[in-house]
Amino acid sequence: MTLSLAFSPCPNDTFVFHALAHGRVPGAPRFDVTYADVDVTNTAALRGEFDLVKVSYAALPWLLDQYTLLPCGGALGRGCGPLVLVKDQSIKSLAGRRVAVPGDRTTAYLLMRLWSAGEPPASVEVVPFAEIMPAVAAGTFDAGLVIHEARFTYQRYGLHALADLGEWWENDTGLPIPLGAIIAHRDRVDPEQATAWIKESVRQAWADPAASRQYVLEHAQEMEQDVVDQHIKLYVNEFTGSLGPDGHAAVDALLTRASDEGLVPATPLVKA
């Protein structure tokens, strides 16, 4: 049996899934692996294209009829939220501005919508993640919403952080920020088995970080080693091993608040 598995080429995902993708998890099936940005996997999951897939927590309301949320392998944390970047430091809000975002059902965009509800932008355009900072630096957009390693590199483009949405979320809720989720197709994957496979892959990643280094760097989009290391340290944490009560509370808080604001459908979440 071969199952399909999709996740981003970002260092946290390749680090976590190295063992599973390379047949190093005892009892797990073979996997046909696809690497894609989360905006792509969000859309593909709507069509049920993958058996196991990394998606945005913000996309769950449209996916849980086909998929089960797994309690491990995803990306949550503290101090790791999306940033709203600008070139012009005189900009103090998004009101009336043109903004580039990495996807319309990403957690980053959902957080931006919650944060800017009183002063919404004039226009929003979905732009490939790698193109957002250059486009803001060039003046194509007034602001850009960025994630992941952009936290460590945005100053190189002469940009400034208008808002740290993770910091805003944590101060407002006291909870970690839920970014990326791992889900299993209900008709094709046993969620308990999949959870066990992923937990073992995470365990191996932590036990021998050097084993995945070459694989991680091959997919890291020319990131320097120190940026890769910072990325993994920030996004692979206690919540990757297990969502736990705080992780489930964070997901519930995000989707409940978004539903109350009419931004996503009401979502019957999996019990903690």
Side-chain angles (χ1 to χ4, degrees):
M1 178 177 66
T2 299
L3 296 179
S4 56
L5 169 64
F7 51 86
S8 82
C10 292
N12 61 306
D13 285 346
T14 49
F15 179 77
V16 163
F17 288 103
H18 172 258
L20 193 61
H22 289 81
R24 299 185 181 188
V25 174
R30 292 173 57 87
F31 284 94
D32 180 12
V33 179
T34 296
Y35 306 95
D37 287 344
V38 72
D39 188 50
V40 174
T41 59
N42 285 345
T43 302
L46 281 172
R47 300 189 293 266
E49 289 187 11
F50 298 110
D51 300 318
L52 282 175
V53 56
K54 172 88 171 279
V55 297
S56 301
Y57 274 107
L60 287 184
W62 291 274
L63 298 173
L64 290 180
D65 59 334
Q66 294 185 78
Y67 288 89
T68 300
L69 172 64
L70 300 185
C72 59
L76 295 88
R78 299 181 185 276
C80 61
L83 302 178
V84 179
L85 301 179
V86 297
K87 183 177 182 180
D88 181 354
Q89 287 185 279
S90 69
I91 295 175
K92 302 302 180 184
S93 80
L94 295 183
R97 302 295 180 176
R98 299 164 297 154
V99 182
V101 303
D104 59 359
R105 287 188 179 172
T106 59
T107 306
Y109 182 46
L110 181 57
L111 285 167
M112 192 192 84
R113 293 176 76 190
L114 292 169
W115 170 75
S116 65
E119 298 177 300
S123 64
V124 172
E125 183 175 332
V126 174
V127 175
F129 169 68
E131 298 176 17
I132 291 178
M133 290 190 292
V136 177
T140 306
F141 297 96
D142 300 308
L145 179 65
V146 301
I147 54 178
H148 295 325
E149 69 274 5
R151 294 186 64 88
F152 314 118
T153 60
Y154 70 87
Q155 296 94 337
R156 301 176 187 178
Y157 294 85
L159 303 180
H160 309 275
L162 173 62
D164 182 326
L165 299 181
E167 184 178 285
W168 167 76
W169 172 260
E170 291 173 50
N171 289 339
D172 201 50
T173 66
L175 295 167
I177 183 169
L179 298 168
I182 307 299
I183 56 176
H185 199 286
R186 293 179 182 273
D187 296 335
R188 303 194 292 262
V189 183
D190 180 286
E192 291 188 7
Q193 287 185 329
T195 296
W197 301 333
I198 294 171
K199 282 182 175 288
E200 174 60 17
S201 193
V202 173
R203 188 199 68 77
Q204 290 188 35
W206 277 330
D208 187 8
S212 64
R213 180 156 296 174
Q214 182 177 350
Y215 173 63
V216 170
L217 290 175
E218 285 174 359
H219 294 277
Q221 299 176 354
E222 301 182 356
M223 281 187 230
E224 301 93 334
Q225 182 68 62
D226 64 329
V227 174
V228 168
D229 292 342
Q230 290 180 73
H231 185 116
I232 292 172
K233 183 178 180 180
L234 189 60
Y235 293 102
V236 184
N237 52 46
E238 62 181 295
F239 300 108
T240 311
S242 175
L243 276 177
D246 282 354
H248 279 93
V251 177
D252 184 67
L254 175 68
L255 297 184
T256 298
R257 180 177 295 194
S259 176
D260 289 345
E261 295 293 330
L263 302 178
V264 304
T267 306
L269 287 177
V270 181
K271 294 180 180 179

